[in-house]
C-alpha cells in the first residue's frame, strides 16, 4: 500500500474507522501519532504532547520502555501465542503465582482473560455459577449509581443506566438492582435498605473501590466499602471489586489496591470475594486482564447438578506475550527504591504535585470542583466539556487530554517528572478550565 501523506492518512481514518464513542456522521478529530517515547506522544504533524491519559490509564511506565520491550522481544522469539485449552506455559503460570501473591488473601485463583470488560463478564459468571452451586436462584447483581464496568453486555448492565454511556441499549440489557451513589450515601443506609429489600435475588454486589472512574471521576469515603463488605457477609452476597482503574496504586493512599483503603474497626482491610484487574497490568503494551477469586468461590463455581466448569474460555486467554510483559511491568512497579516500592513513591509524589498544581482552578468561573486522589486529578466543570475544542487546544498547550462529560481530568504515567512534564499537563487543565468557564452556556 502506498504511504499516504498526513492529510490523506487523516482523511482515510475519518472515512473508514470508528473511534471509541465517536459518531460516524460527525466524528471527533483524531490526532495522528507517529511514535511515542517516555511520556511524550510525537505526532506526524511535528508536535509533541505530554500524555496526561496514560493511554486510558494503562501506560503507567510510559512508552518504549526498554525492559518491557525486551520482555516482548524475548517471548516473541519463543512463541507469540498458544491456546490455553489443554496446554499451559511458564509466563502464564508465573503471572498467576505473582498475582496470587500480591493480591490480598484469600484471593488465590486466577483467570487470565482478554480485557477489563471481559474480566467483569467472567466475575459475573463466577458469581452466578457460585450461587447455582449453592442451589440458590439468586441471579441479579447489585451495584451503585455512577459506576462504570465496561462495554460488553453484562458489564453494561451494571453501569449507571441513566447517566452512563449505554442509554442506547435501554430495555435490551439484563435488569439489575441499583443503589445510591456512594458519595451520596456515605453511611450506607440506602445500600442497606436496598439489600434488605432484594436479598433473595442478589448474587453479588459489584463496585469500583473508592473511585468511580468513567462514570464520573468521583471519589468516596472508604467506610462505605467497609459497610458494603459487612452487608454482603450478613446476607450471603458475594462482593466483586472492579480494580481495573484503581489497581496497581492508582487510587493512592499508599495501597496497591483501592479496596485496601477500606479498613475495618479491627484493622483488617476489606478483601472482595472476586477482584477484576486490567489496564496497568501489562503497562499498556498488550491487552490482558485477570479475574481473581477466593478458593471458596472457585470451588463453589463447579458445584451443582450437573457440576460444570467455569463457562468461559477466550481464544487469547493467557496470551504468552501479554503474560510476559505483565510480569515485567509488575516487577518494575514493585521494585524497591529507598525502602519503598517504586509505585508507592511515585504515586505519592504525583499526588502532592497534582494537589498543588490544580489548586488555582478552585475559584474559576464555571468550575464546580477540583479533586485529587492518588495519581488522578480532576477539574469538574458546571457544564459539559467541549471535546473538539479541547482536542484542538491540546496541540497548542502541549498536553494530551481526553475529557468526558463535565470532567477535565488526568491519569498520568507514573514515570512523569512531577515538576516539569506534569506541570505541562496540569497547566493545560487549568487553562482549559478557565477558558471553558468563560464560554457562553449552550
Amino acid at each position: 500500500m502506498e504511504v499516504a501523506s498526513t492529510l490523506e492518512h487523516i482523511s482515510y481514518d475519518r472515512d473508514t474507522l470508528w473511534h471509541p464513542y465517536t459518531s460516524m456522521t460527525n466524528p471527533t478529530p483524531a490526532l495522528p501519532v507517529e511514535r511515542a517515547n517516555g511520556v511524550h506522544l510525537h505526532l506526524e504533524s511535528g508536535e509533541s504532547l505530554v500524555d496526561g491519559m496514560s493511554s486510558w490509564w494503562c501506560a503507567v511506565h510510559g512508552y518504549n520502555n526498554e525492559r518491557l520491550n525486551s520482555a516482548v522481544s524475548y517471548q516473541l522469539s519463543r512463541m507469540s501465542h498458544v491456546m490455553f485449552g489443554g496446554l499451559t506455559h511458564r509466563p502464564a503460570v508465573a503471572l498467576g503465582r505473582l498475582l496470587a501473591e500480591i493480591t490480598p488473601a484469600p484471593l488465590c485463583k486466577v483467570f487470565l482473560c482478554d480485557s477489563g470488560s471481559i474480566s467483569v463478564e467472567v466475575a459475573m459468571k463466577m458469581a452466578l455459577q457460585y450461587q447455582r452451586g449453592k442451589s440458590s436462584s439468586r441471579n441479579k447483581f447489585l451495584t451503585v449509581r455512577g459506576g462504570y464496568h465496561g462495554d460488553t453486555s453484562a458489564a453494561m448492565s451494571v453501569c449507571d443506566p441513566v447517566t452512563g454511556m449505554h442509554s442506547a441499549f435501554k430495555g435490551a440489557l439484563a435488569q439489575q438492582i441499583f443503589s445510591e451513589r456512594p458519595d451520596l450515601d456515605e453511611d450506607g443506609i440506602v445500600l442497606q435498605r436496598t439489600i434488605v429489600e432484594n436479598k433473595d435475588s442478589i448474587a453479588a454486589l459489584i463496585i469500583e473501590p473508592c473511585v468511580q472512574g468513567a462514570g464520573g471521576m468521583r471519589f468516596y469515603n472508604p467506610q462505605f466499602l467497609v459497610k458494603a463488605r459487612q452487608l454482603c457477609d450478613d446476607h450471603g452476597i458475594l462482593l466483586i471489586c472492579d480494580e481495573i482503574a484503581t489497581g496497581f496504586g492508582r487510587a493512592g493512599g499508599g495501597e496497591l489496591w483501592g479496596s485496601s483503603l477500606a479498613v475495618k474497626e479491627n484493622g483488617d482491610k476489606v478483601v472482595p470475594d472476586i477482584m477484576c484487574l486490567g489496564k496497568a497490568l501489562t503497562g499498556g503494551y498488550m491487552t490482558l486482564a485477570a479475574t481473581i477469586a477466593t478458593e471458596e468461590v472457585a470451588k463453589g463455581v463447579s458445584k451443582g447438578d450437573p457440576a460444570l466448569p467455569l463457562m468461559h474460555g477466550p481464544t487469547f486467554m493467557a496470551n504468552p506475550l501479554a503474560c510476559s510483559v505483565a510480569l515485567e511491568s509488575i516487577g518494575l512497579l514493585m521494585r524497591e527504591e529507598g525502602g519503598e516500592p517504586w509505585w508507592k513513591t511515585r504515586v505519592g509524589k504525583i499526588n502532592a504535585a497534582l494537589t498543588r498544581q490544580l489548586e488555582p482552578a478552585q475559584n474559576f468561573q464555571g468550575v464546580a470542583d477540583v479533586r485529587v486522589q492518588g495519581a488522578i486529578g480532576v477539574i469538574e466543570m458546571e457544564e459539559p466539556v467541549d471535546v473538539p475544542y479541547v482536542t484542538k487546544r491540546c496541540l497548542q498547550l502541549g498536553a494530551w487530554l481526553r475529557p468526558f462529560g463535565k470532567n477535565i481530568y488526568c491519569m498520568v504515567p507514573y514515570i512523569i517528572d512531577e515538576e516539569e512534564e506534569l506541570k505541562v499537563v496540569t497547566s493545560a487543565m487549568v487553562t482549559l478550565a478557565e477558558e471553558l468557564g468563560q464560554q457562553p452556556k449552550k
Side-chain angles (χ1 to χ4, degrees):
M1 184 178 290
E2 278 187 34
V3 177
S5 69
T6 296
L7 287 177
E8 289 173 324
H9 168 52
I10 294 172
S11 177
Y12 295 151
D13 177 281
R14 183 183 179 92
D15 291 344
T16 309
L17 296 177
W18 244 307
H19 286 261
Y21 314 115
T22 298
S23 166
M24 286 296 276
T25 58
N26 185 28
T28 304
L31 304 180
V33 179
E34 179 184 22
R35 56 192 172 85
N37 190 68
V39 298
H40 296 272
L41 304 175
H42 302 285
L43 307 186
E44 287 193 12
S45 47
E47 294 92 343
S48 177
L49 307 179
V50 178
D51 180 16
M53 296 286 97
S54 299
S55 277
W56 266 341
W57 325 343
C58 63
V60 290
H61 304 295
Y63 303 94
N64 204 17
N65 180 283
E66 186 175 333
R67 285 178 57 175
L68 300 186
N69 288 357
S70 295
V72 173
S73 296
Y74 174 77
Q75 184 57 46
L76 188 60
S77 71
R78 301 178 72 82
M79 61 180 175
S80 61
H81 183 62
V82 64
M83 65 184 288
F84 210 55
L87 300 174
T88 191
H89 50 83
R90 289 184 180 272
V93 175
L95 180 59
R97 290 183 64 189
L98 179 57
L99 289 175
E101 178 183 318
I102 65 174
T103 51
L107 294 168
C108 61
K109 303 298 184 182
V110 181
F111 189 101
L112 296 169
C113 51
D114 306 60
S115 67
S117 292
I118 300 302
S119 75
V120 170
E121 297 270 338
V122 171
M124 294 172 76
K125 284 183 174 181
M126 285 179 178
L128 292 174
Q129 287 195 231
Y130 174 81
Q131 295 294 352
R132 173 185 176 273
K134 295 177 66 177
S135 300
S136 168
S137 61
R138 298 183 182 201
N139 62 359
K140 296 288 185 182
F141 289 88
L142 170 64
T143 190
V144 291
R145 295 198 176 275
Y148 171 84
H149 299 283
D151 292 348
T152 48
S153 293
M156 282 196 294
S157 76
V158 287
C159 296
D160 192 295
V162 178
T163 62
M165 293 183 272
H166 304 123
S167 58
F169 304 98
K170 188 176 181 180
L173 301 175
Q175 299 300 297
Q176 310 294 5
I177 300 164
F178 290 83
S179 189
E180 185 55 271
R181 268 175 27 200
D183 61 319
L184 301 178
D185 184 31
E186 286 195 358
D187 55 9
I189 297 299
V190 178
L191 180 68
Q192 181 172 1
R193 183 170 67 242
T194 305
I195 286 177
V196 170
E197 290 173 353
N198 299 277
K199 60 184 179 182
D200 294 333
S201 62
I202 299 171
L205 164 63
I206 182 169
I207 191 168
E208 299 157 281
C210 302
V211 175
Q212 290 188 299
M217 287 296 162
R218 300 182 186 91
F219 313 145
Y220 65 88
N221 191 325
Q223 287 305 302
F224 179 88
L225 194 57
V226 173
K227 181 70 174 287
R229 174 72 275 183
Q230 186 60 57
L231 288 169
C232 287
D233 290 342
D234 291 345
H235 295 283
I237 296 168
L238 295 180
L239 175 62
I240 302 170
C241 278
D242 177 351
E243 295 265 13
I244 295 161
T246 55
F248 298 104
R250 180 64 74 175
E255 296 290 351
L256 194 59
W257 313 112
S259 52
S260 297
L261 295 169
V263 182
K264 305 175 186 178
E265 286 186 4
N266 65 1
D268 291 344
K269 298 171 184 177
V270 164
V271 180
D273 301 294
I274 304 172
M275 181 185 284
C276 299
L277 304 180
K279 296 229 180 260
L281 180 58
T282 69
Y285 268 62
M286 306 281 290
T287 179
L288 183 71
T291 310
I292 309 175
T294 64
E295 186 162 359
E296 178 188 348
V297 170
K299 289 184 175 179
V301 161
S302 294
K303 293 180 180 178
D305 186 18
L308 295 171
L310 177 60
M311 300 304 291
H312 203 90
T315 300
F316 287 95
M317 178 179 180
N319 170 257
L321 279 174
C323 290
S324 294
V325 78
L327 283 165
E328 192 64 33
S329 175
I330 295 171
L332 287 171
L333 287 169
M334 303 299 289
R335 72 187 188 274
E336 189 173 301
E337 280 193 4
E340 294 277 12
W342 178 83
W343 68 266
K344 191 172 184 177
T345 301
R346 292 304 308 141
V347 171
K349 289 183 177 181
I350 291 168
N351 177 271
L354 284 172
T355 302
R356 183 175 66 254
Q357 292 170 16
L358 293 180
E359 195 276 335
Q362 289 277 5
N363 299 314
F364 285 173
Q365 176 182 323
V367 170
D369 189 29
V370 178
R371 51 188 180 268
V372 173
Q373 179 161 331
I376 308 168
V378 185
I379 301 176
E380 182 179 343
M381 305 300 294
E382 293 174 353
E383 298 292 327
V385 175
D386 184 340
V387 176
Y389 174 82
V390 170
T391 301
K392 186 180 297 184
R393 284 291 279 137
C394 278
L395 288 171
Q396 299 162 330
L397 297 170
W400 173 239
L401 298 165
R402 184 68 172 176
F404 70 91
K406 298 179 180 180
N407 297 308
I408 305 168
Y409 78 98
C410 69
M411 283 198 186
V412 295
Y414 294 174
I415 65 165
I416 198 166
D417 179 278
E418 63 270 15
E419 295 303 328
E420 295 184 9
E421 295 164 334
L422 182 59
K423 193 66 186 294
V424 174
V425 173
T426 54
S427 294
M429 292 173 66
V430 170
T431 298
L432 287 165
E434 185 173 26
E435 293 176 356
L436 292 169
Q438 293 172 354
Q439 291 182 356
K441 293 184 179 180
K442 293 182 179 180

